Amino acid sequence: EAEVAQSPRYKITEKSQAVAFWCDPISGHATLYWYRQILGQGPELLVQFQDESVVDDSQLPKDRFSAERLKGVDSTLKIQPAELGDSAMYLCASSQMGVRGYEQYFGPGTRLTVT
Amino acid sequence: GQSLEQPSEVTAVEGAIVQINCTYQTSGFYGLSWYQQHDGGAPTFLSYNALDGLEETGRFSSFLSRSDSYGYLLLQELQMKDSASYFCAVRDRRLTGGGNKLTFGTGTQLKVEL
């Protein structure tokens, strides 16, 4: 069964350093999402792509976060500089167009710890 | 904006039936989804209701009442492996930029005991 791939699975970084996460969605899924999940809370959407275009980045802290999906396939989320409050799980998800577009498939996530 | 409410924690015994409620406030509502997440794992899709009524998938069922802005997830014949967090999520109209977005609740932690 096809899965969403993410790397790294775990990342420890010092505050003020740069960090990047990578996501490869399920083949053929045009829509890609980056979520942040703080322990004990639900996932919060950071950015949504439709192919290579950003559909929604209203919750992305643009002073330090950036995201790209240059060829409309895999995607990278970057934080620079990292802050202590960025410690969280970063989840990538993808969905297909059409009738079952409501179903999002999540990757295993990257757990970020900022020290 | 959107808001969702669900109980923070529910405990039940193996073999029992448990219902997890979700109430929401939103505009441009399209549907209500449910996701399961085990500790340290990724959320996995369980069900989606766009219309009023009950959707059944094996031991899990989900219900929606659009007029009451209310839904629930029903888990039957509980098993130890059902211990996880369950999130309701509203699919609604995006205020800017078009299309729709998914907003998750804070989750209900289900503990299944022997």
Side-chain angles (χ1 to χ4, degrees):
Chain A
E1 184 176 316
E3 296 180 341
V4 175
Q6 287 188 251
S7 67
R9 294 291 306 277
Y10 304 91
K11 181 69 177 181
I12 301 174
T13 190
E14 295 182 349
K15 63 180 182 180
S16 79
Q17 296 299 304
V19 65
F21 314 129
W22 176 80
C23 171
D24 191 13
I26 292 173
S27 178
H29 281 195
T31 310
L32 184 147
Y33 315 80
W34 283 102
Y35 290 89
R36 176 172 58 190
Q37 185 176 26
I38 296 169
L39 195 63
Q41 298 183 21
E44 175 194 21
L45 181 68
L46 292 175
V47 61
Q48 178 178 337
F49 289 92
Q50 185 67 38
D51 298 311
E52 67 275 10
S53 300
V54 173
V55 174
D56 185 350
D57 63 357
S58 58
Q59 299 302 310
L60 189 71
K62 299 181 188 62
D63 57 333
R64 298 185 301 107
F65 286 63
S66 65
E68 61 182 17
R69 193 184 184 199
L70 293 177
K71 296 183 179 179
V73 181
D74 59 339
S75 175
T76 302
L77 178 70
K78 297 179 181 177
I79 308 175
Q80 183 174 16
E83 296 180 353
L84 294 177
D86 296 333
S87 294
M89 176 76 86
Y90 290 83
L91 294 161
C92 178
S94 68
S95 64
Q96 57 185 303
M97 299 291 291
V99 176
R100 291 193 68 88
Y102 55 78
E103 183 172 351
Q104 295 189 16
Y105 296 79
F106 284 81
T110 297
R111 181 164 296 283
L112 173 67
T113 302
V114 182
T115 63
Chain B
Q2 306 91 348
S3 70
L4 297 94
E5 287 191 19
Q6 53 182 129
S8 59
E9 192 173 303
V10 173
T11 302
V13 297
E14 195 176 30
I17 299 173
V18 71
Q19 178 174 313
I20 300 174
N21 298 319
C22 175
T23 57
Y24 58 87
Q25 289 185 327
T26 185
S27 58
F29 177 83
Y30 287 136
L32 186 70
S33 296
W34 289 91
Y35 284 79
Q36 178 192 61
Q37 186 177 32
H38 287 97
D39 282 349
T44 56
F45 173 83
L46 291 177
S47 67
Y48 177 72
N49 295 67
L51 302 175
D52 286 357
L54 192 68
E55 294 280 344
E56 298 181 65
T57 308
R59 295 187 297 114
F60 294 0
S61 303
S62 58
F63 171 84
L64 175 66
S65 169
R66 294 173 68 111
S67 60
D68 295 324
S69 297
Y70 163 77
Y72 67 72
L73 179 69
L74 190 73
L75 298 85
Q76 302 182 73
E77 301 173 15
L78 280 175
Q79 302 176 10
M80 297 297 290
K81 68 178 182 179
D82 297 329
S83 292
S85 291
Y86 292 83
F87 295 91
C88 60
V90 165
R91 186 180 185 218
D92 66 351
R93 178 173 48 87
R94 180 170 284 110
L95 294 178
T96 59
N100 57 81
K101 67 178 294 185
L102 199 62
T103 302
F104 285 81
T106 54
T108 299
Q109 186 170 9
L110 172 64
K111 297 180 181 179
V112 181
E113 301 176 334
L114 290 172

